[in-house]
Amino acid sequence: MNLTDFKNIINTDQIGKEMYQLMSELYPICRSITGNGVRETFNIIKKHIPLTVHEVPTGTKVFDWTVPKEWNIKDAYVKNSRGEKIVDFKNSNLHVLNYSMPVKKKVSLQELKDHLFTSPEYPEWIPYRTSYYKENWGFCVSYNQFLSLTEDEYEVFIDSSIENGHLTYGEYYIKGKKIDEILISCHVCHPSLCNDNLSGIVLAVFLAKYLTQIPLNYSYRFLFIPGTIGSITYLCLNESNVSKIKHGLVAACLGDSGKFTYKKSRQGNAEIDRAGINVLKNSKANYEILDFTPFGYDERQYCSPGFNLPVGCFMRTPHGRYPEYHTSADNLDFVRPQYLEESLSKYLSVLNILENNKKYLNKNPKCEPQLGRRGLYQAIGGQQDKKLRELAMLWVLNLSDGGNTLLDISDRSGLEFDSIKDAADALFNHELLKECPE
Ligand code: ZN
């Protein structure tokens, strides 16, 4: 079975549920750009795919950056003078400023407030804040709780460590017919936040799991890396291999109810950009196309001028455009199985184009060949299908001059890639086309 057949027969309902189940398992873990939260996450992912886990030591120079010390945390709380825990890491790992230094002391209300982070715009929610490269300690609380705090002597306790250790990242490689690669990259550094980016992680896991089961033209490389420092580390340590990457997608924000968004690679007109746009144009739903910008997720590194890889970002609602972003409201209620499954289907459609984007040459280019005589008008479906099939065949015959790919023909005709591919297959089987060498 190939990818085209596969994407048409999968039980998407069931897959959405399984993706959501994995997300629920990963949700409670306190992740960061380094540390045991990432390792624990990989141990769970390994139940689905045989991930290779890499450990890069603290202090490793990676281009202009250095792999930081490893952060781990066991517990944290704020107690009032009556000994009541008013902020508890065990209730939500977002309560601790990610990468907080350890602290244990008594503080006044004023000093406590200097180390509290809130989001006044959304007074009910706990914001997600980090301090990776600047030593600090702090707690994140809802703005309502912040306002309710009274003069008191508070005990602050953060049982964390920042020590020499490793940056941990995961890699999974599927060997296809070609050594040319398609990269799927997602960030694994966020704690209990679902859309950004457990949705990207579970999408990558299930995509990897299913692609493993079918024959593929391209080889696939899945990266599960901490944001920014992870992609910089990967690119630095694997620089000699990076030229094999012919197409790539950064997977993030794929579980919310918003419309699909494709952010183009820096190249702007790469095959991956055209495939992503083609899928959205034919989706019969709202969508948005964004030009490349040097901010966002790890596409920033893949698309830095020294690499300029054709890597886009296929999302639903982009980061920062939904109020729940980077708050405790980006939780298991915000993301639904149905949206995860739709996202997976879209990824399969994009990959289906890349896998099958061949170029053909019409062997009978002088006027149209007589299709009826060859039984090529006989469609199995209804009149509508028959008309569409005929149209697709005429487009393929006309544009198969050795210069156009099937994606070019789909774009120019406005017909779905699969219709164009079916027509090309039929014409090829009737020896009206020959395949052009790559
Ligand atoms: Zn984020």
Side-chain angles (χ1 to χ4, degrees):
M1 191 194 307
N2 61 31
L3 185 54
T4 314
D5 301 331
F6 180 75
K7 93 182 156 56
N8 295 332
I9 61 128
I10 49 172
N11 181 344
T12 49
D13 225 32
Q14 182 56 28
I15 291 173
K17 283 182 195 145
E18 289 173 20
M19 290 169 82
Y20 188 79
Q21 171 56 36
L22 175 59
M23 177 179 284
S24 311
E25 251 182 280
L26 299 173
Y27 180 69
I29 300 170
C30 183
R31 278 163 293 267
S32 186
I33 53 172
T34 62
N36 292 328
V38 175
R39 294 188 188 101
E40 221 183 301
T41 298
F42 290 164
N43 284 336
I44 293 171
I45 291 176
K46 278 182 183 174
K47 293 186 215 160
H48 296 265
I49 50 170
L51 201 64
T52 303
V53 176
H54 301 268
E55 299 276 1
V56 183
T58 299
T60 305
K61 295 272 178 256
V62 285
F63 298 126
D64 201 40
W65 298 59
T66 305
V67 171
K69 288 186 173 173
E70 183 177 323
W71 183 71
N72 283 295
I73 180 159
K74 290 196 187 105
D75 195 12
Y77 55 76
V78 178
K79 273 183 187 172
N80 62 21
S81 59
R82 290 190 300 280
E84 296 158 343
K85 282 187 191 174
I86 58 160
V87 178
D88 191 348
F89 172 75
K90 293 198 167 111
N91 291 338
S92 168
N93 56 40
L94 297 180
H95 273 314
V96 171
L97 176 71
N98 203 285
Y99 249 75
S100 258
M101 294 161 58
V103 67
K104 182 177 170 57
K105 64 175 173 175
K106 300 259 168 83
V107 295
S108 65
L109 176 63
Q110 192 47 54
E111 192 183 348
L112 177 63
K113 281 189 167 176
D114 289 343
H115 291 270
L116 292 182
F117 298 84
T118 65
S119 176
E121 287 167 280
Y122 305 104
E124 310 262 313
W125 300 342
I126 308 162
Y128 161 58
R129 295 280 187 278
T130 66
S131 188
Y132 300 140
Y133 302 103
K134 182 170 167 268
E135 289 200 347
N136 195 6
W137 65 267
F139 290 89
C140 303
V141 296
S142 73
Y143 189 59
N144 285 344
Q145 183 174 20
F146 178 86
L147 293 177
S148 74
L149 293 172
T150 53
E151 284 301 337
D152 200 351
E153 188 183 57
Y154 293 94
E155 182 191 339
V156 292
F157 177 62
I158 298 176
D159 185 6
S160 65
S161 61
I162 304 181
E163 291 164 349
N164 284 336
H166 295 84
L167 175 152
T168 312
Y169 74 87
E171 187 174 20
Y172 179 59
Y173 178 76
I174 308 173
K175 198 175 176 320
K177 264 193 231 150
K178 306 196 261 193
I179 60 160
D180 290 348
E181 292 178 8
I182 297 180
L183 172 75
I184 305 290
S185 176
C186 63
H187 60 280
V188 296
C189 49
H190 288 26
S192 295
L193 294 165
C194 284
N195 203 36
D196 177 24
N197 188 34
L198 289 173
S199 68
I201 298 173
V202 301
L203 181 127
V205 169
F206 277 80
L207 196 56
K209 195 168 163 172
Y210 291 115
L211 290 181
T212 306
Q213 301 169 24
I214 48 178
L216 297 162
N217 287 320
Y218 282 100
S219 296
Y220 286 74
R221 192 172 299 277
F222 289 82
L223 291 181
F224 298 83
I225 50 176
T228 307
I229 188 68
S231 48
I232 293 172
T233 300
Y234 183 82
L235 288 167
C236 185
L237 302 182
N238 297 278
E239 197 172 350
S240 57
N241 265 324
V242 165
S243 61
K244 288 183 195 147
I245 298 170
K246 301 301 177 202
H247 321 281
L249 289 175
V250 167
C253 301
L254 290 157
D256 65 286
S257 63
K259 62 177 188 275
F260 282 99
T261 306
Y262 179 73
K263 177 183 167 181
K264 293 183 201 173
S265 74
R266 182 177 181 270
Q267 297 183 19
N269 199 28
E271 197 174 336
I272 184 67
D273 299 322
R274 297 190 44 221
I277 295 166
N278 181 285
V279 165
L280 292 184
K281 273 193 177 159
N282 287 296
S283 66
K284 298 170 189 80
N286 269 338
Y287 64 89
E288 191 173 356
I289 307 295
L290 300 175
D291 280 324
F292 176 76
T293 48
F295 46 88
Y297 294 113
D298 287 305
E299 68 277 10
R300 296 155 63 161
Q301 315 309 332
Y302 301 124
C303 297
S304 57
F307 288 104
N308 200 21
L309 295 172
V311 176
C313 188
F314 202 107
M315 316 165 260
R316 301 189 73 114
T317 310
H319 62 91
R321 291 224 201 144
Y322 49 97
E324 295 84 355
Y325 172 72
H326 280 192
T327 76
S328 53
D330 182 0
N331 58 25
L332 288 165
D333 294 327
F334 183 58
V335 165
R336 304 313 311 155
Q338 173 203 343
Y339 305 133
L340 291 169
E341 166 270 296
E342 283 174 10
S343 298
L344 183 73
S345 297
K346 288 283 182 291
Y347 269 69
L348 288 171
S349 296
V350 173
L351 298 179
N352 176 53
I353 292 179
L354 299 174
E355 283 279 324
N356 294 295
N357 193 20
K358 294 177 186 165
K359 243 183 227 175
Y360 291 96
L361 195 64
N362 182 345
K363 290 166 77 178
N364 190 93
K366 290 183 177 164
C367 301
E368 291 172 0
Q370 206 182 342
L371 299 178
R373 175 160 70 81
R374 295 175 168 88
L376 277 162
Y377 280 136
Q378 288 156 19
I380 300 157
Q383 277 307 107
Q384 198 60 27
D385 291 346
K386 196 174 157 184
K387 193 79 208 137
L388 184 73
R389 190 177 146 96
E390 185 186 337
L391 215 53
M393 285 193 290
L394 294 176
W395 274 109
V396 171
L397 284 168
N398 190 281
L399 291 181
S400 289
D401 55 5
N404 293 299
T405 63
L406 295 186
L407 177 57
D408 293 328
I409 301 172
S410 168
D411 280 345
R412 188 148 163 198
S413 66
L415 299 176
E416 279 183 35
F417 183 85
D418 278 356
S419 306
I420 294 298
K421 180 184 174 291
D422 286 349
D425 287 346
L427 294 166
F428 179 81
N429 290 336
H430 283 81
E431 294 180 5
L432 286 167
L433 296 178
K434 71 173 180 194
E435 215 180 308
C436 298
E438 281 189 49

